[in-house]
Amino acid sequence: MIRRNSERTSFAKEMFGGPGVMKASQILNADEFCGKGRLFNHVVLEPGAGVGLHRHKNDFEVYYLLKGTATYNDNGKEVEVGPGDVMVCPDGEEHSIVNTGTTDVEIIALILFS
């Protein structure tokens, strides 16, 4: 299978009460995980935008930061993150992220079932 960039589903929405909107483009669609997960997206957060604090249940999420700088909340501990950093939110834990820089933040986000 090859999916061209122009064929990917994209959307923008507020996430978990975070500031601004998250822009996302699906790398895989939900039915393409063979029952192993539910999200594999390229995410863009404009300056000041973010994903609000939320807890994972029966799944875990990985962020791979491609571009920009952000503040990542890891179970209440805020940490500055940048290109090449990987953030993992295990099942039962919570996280959020906010673009604290002056350029767009780009992230690959993956959610797999526990």
Side-chain angles (χ1 to χ4, degrees), residues 38-49:
R38 65 179 178 87
L39 182 140
F40 187 27
N41 288 349
H42 176 249
V43 173
V44 176
L45 299 171
E46 294 177 346

Side-chain angles (χ1 to χ4, degrees), residues 19 21-25 41-51 63-72 79-85 87 96-109:
V21 297
M22 173 193 80
K23 297 176 183 176
S25 177
N41 288 349
H42 176 249
V43 173
V44 176
L45 299 171
E46 294 177 346
V51 176
Y63 291 160
Y64 176 64
L65 203 146
L66 300 170
K67 175 181 158 186
T69 57
T71 299
Y72 181 76
V79 179
E80 295 301 311
V81 293
D85 289 341
M87 295 130 282
S96 67
I97 190 165
V98 175
N99 179 346
T100 52
T102 58
T103 62
D104 288 352
V105 163
E106 292 188 33
I107 299 168
I108 299 298

